Structure formats: structure tokens, C-alpha cells
Amino acid sequence: MKILIIGGAGYIGSHVARAFLDHGYEVTVFDNLQTGFRENLFEDARFVHGDIMHPEQLRAVMAGGYDGCVHLAALKAAGQSMLHPDAYAESNISGAINILNQASAAGISPIIFSSSAAVYGSPQYLPIDESHPKEPENFYGFTKLEVERLLDWYDRLKGMRYAAIRYFNAAGYDVQGRIKGLELNPENLLPIVMEVAVGIREKLSVFGDDYPTRDGSGIRDYVHVSDLAEAHVTAFEYVVKHDKSLVINLGSQTGVSVLEMVERARAITGMPIPAEIRGRRAGDPAELVASSSKALELLGWVPKYSDVDTLVSTTWKMYEKHVSR
Ligand code: WQD
């Protein structure tokens, strides 16, 4: 079967492309290489350099006929989305509309959509299941929820099936080291910790140690990107088999605190990783942990690599060659 992966040269997208290839799919990657890397492209996948903001480029690539499409091309920094909502609206919402309209015209369905736990906002209960209220607190989360709403209407009006996959905190790298590109100017905890470990950054700022958590620092549900990628294949196959759309959380269901992550990183890297306790970051909830029981029940999805030591060690393998001191 042929699958089109839009945004397949990015951090998560390249792992998703790898998973579909490993399952024997014929993969085409469509990417503008704005945040993705050419070095993340695979020999056994076709690559089309294009931009979702150009409907004619989408029309051209979709003319190839596909059994489904994975859409991961979006801006994803929550903090930046509050400063530049126009850029996020254009890329994440208008870009998605272009994809849906061209996919509809080309008769491509299902759409597997990279959504986010950010659609929930602050947790009203834990663990967060798919029925939790959707009250996003950053514009990034709003854009993801808006696209989910579009998908629901395209399903109802056009029969375009979809799977919306709500990622919790994606981390780690391919255990076989097949993904080469390092995120530039990362905003997320683990890559920042690694930049401190190799000397790219001087120290880590720990955003708050006065939260009502076991050690006072923020707790998140980190899920290995390869576990995430595998779920995209099984979600695609589920939607095709049942001709029924799906919305699922993907998280490890275990919480790790910032201080615990730093401690494991020091132990595994052997580097000091200096850290300074700072004030809380605006908009950060104390704790976010997923319920992924729906993914387990419907897809049989069980994370294999999402333990903290595998997350840290696979990321360290990517960074250790960049030690600058
Ligand atoms: C994790 C924890 C911080 C950096 C964001 C997006 C979310 C999703 C995942 C896409 C928090 C703490 C972080 C640092 C720190 N993205 N931290 N010092 O905020 O949980 O979620 O990324 O889908 O939409 O909002 O991830 O990695 O920024 O933070 O102390 O330098 O690490 O306070 O507790 P977050 P994060």
C-alpha cells in the first residue's frame, strides 16, 4: 500500500516514515525542509520537496494516488504560538485545510493527523483520557483542536475517515540510530538537557521546584517517538479495516519529573549538566499524564521504549558525538 507522509522529514515525521517502511509500505515524503532535514530522508522512500501552503503542489503530489495520508507538518512550539498566532494559524490551520481539500479532491482517505495533548489545557483530572474537556490554553493547542474539528466535519460530510493522535511529550530517538537530524534550537526538556550535557548551552533552567508534585518540579508523560510512530501504522490499519475514525491519546501513562529526568541524564551521560532553579514558566501545569487505555484496547498499542532510561540513552547517542568540551 502507498502512504503519503506530509512533514515526513521532521523529528516525529521521519520516525513515522521509518515505521511505515518497516511495515512494508511504499512511502512518499512531502516536506518543505523548513524544520525537517534532508538527512532524515530514507533511500527506500520517495521524496517530494513541497509546501502545504501551495495547494497546487499538494495537488500534484496527490495525483500519484495513495491509500492514506499522514499529516505532521505544523509549527509546534507552544510558547512561540502565543507570540506569533498569525504564523501558527496560517501553517497549522490554513495548511491543514489545503491538505484536506486536496486529499478530498484526490480521493485520499484516511488522514492520520498529528494532534497533541495541548488540546486539553490544564488537567481537570488525571490521568487525562479522551473525554477530558478540551480547553486549550495556548494557541498551538487551539490550532490542533480546530483541525480535529475540521476532520470530524469532513468525515461526516465527505466520508473522509481519520485518526487524530494526541501526543503527550514525544522524546527519544530511533533505537537503531537510523534518524540523523538533531532539532535546531529545541524548546523541549530532553533535547535542552542534552545541549547542556555537550556544552552547547551553559546550564539548564528548571522552571519551578514549588509545584505540588513529589519533588516540586513539573511532571510530564514522556513517550518514545518510535512508540508514537508505531501507533500511526496501527491506527491507519484500524481505520481502514473498520472504516471508522479514531481519536486517541498516546502517552506512556507514567509521569517523570524534571529533576528525575536531569538525574537520569547525569547518570547515563556521565556529564555534570549544571541546573539552576528558576521561577515557574507561564502556562505550565504541575502534572500531565495520559490515559492511553483506548489505544491499548483498540490498537493493542503498548509502548516498548518509553521508559526514562531508553528515552535518555537514545537521545544521548544522538548528542554525544557533538560534545564540545
Ligand atoms: C516539559 C517540562 C517544563 C524546558 C510542550 C508543548 C506540547 C507538546 C510537548 C507538541 C515542563 C520543564 C522545560 C526547560 C524546564 N508539543 N522544562 N526547563 O511544555 O510539557 O509541552 O511540548 O505537541 O504541546 O506545550 O514540554 O519539554 O517544554 O516541558 O524546566 O528548559 O520540562 O516546565 O515541566 P511541555 P517541555
Side-chain angles (χ1 to χ4, degrees), residues 74-93 116 118 136-144 187 282:
L75 300 176
K76 69 169 181 101
Q80 285 297 312
S81 76
M82 303 300 274
L83 302 172
H84 308 290
D86 42 351
Y88 275 69
E90 195 170 64
S91 174
N92 293 9
I93 299 175
S116 169
E137 291 177 356
N138 56 60
F139 193 73
Y140 163 78
F142 165 79
T143 66
K144 289 296 182 180
E187 304 240 343

Side-chain angles (χ1 to χ4, degrees), residues 193 259 261-275 312:
V193 165
L259 294 176
M261 186 71 86
V262 173
E263 187 278 323
R264 293 313 301 150
R266 285 173 179 152
I268 290 169
T269 66
M271 306 300 265
I273 309 181
V312 171

Side-chain angles (χ1 to χ4, degrees), residues 113-133:
F113 175 59
S114 162
S115 190
S116 169
V119 303
Y120 295 116
S122 290
Q124 294 175 25
Y125 57 80
L126 289 171
I128 294 179
D129 61 16
E130 290 82 359
S131 315
H132 186 286

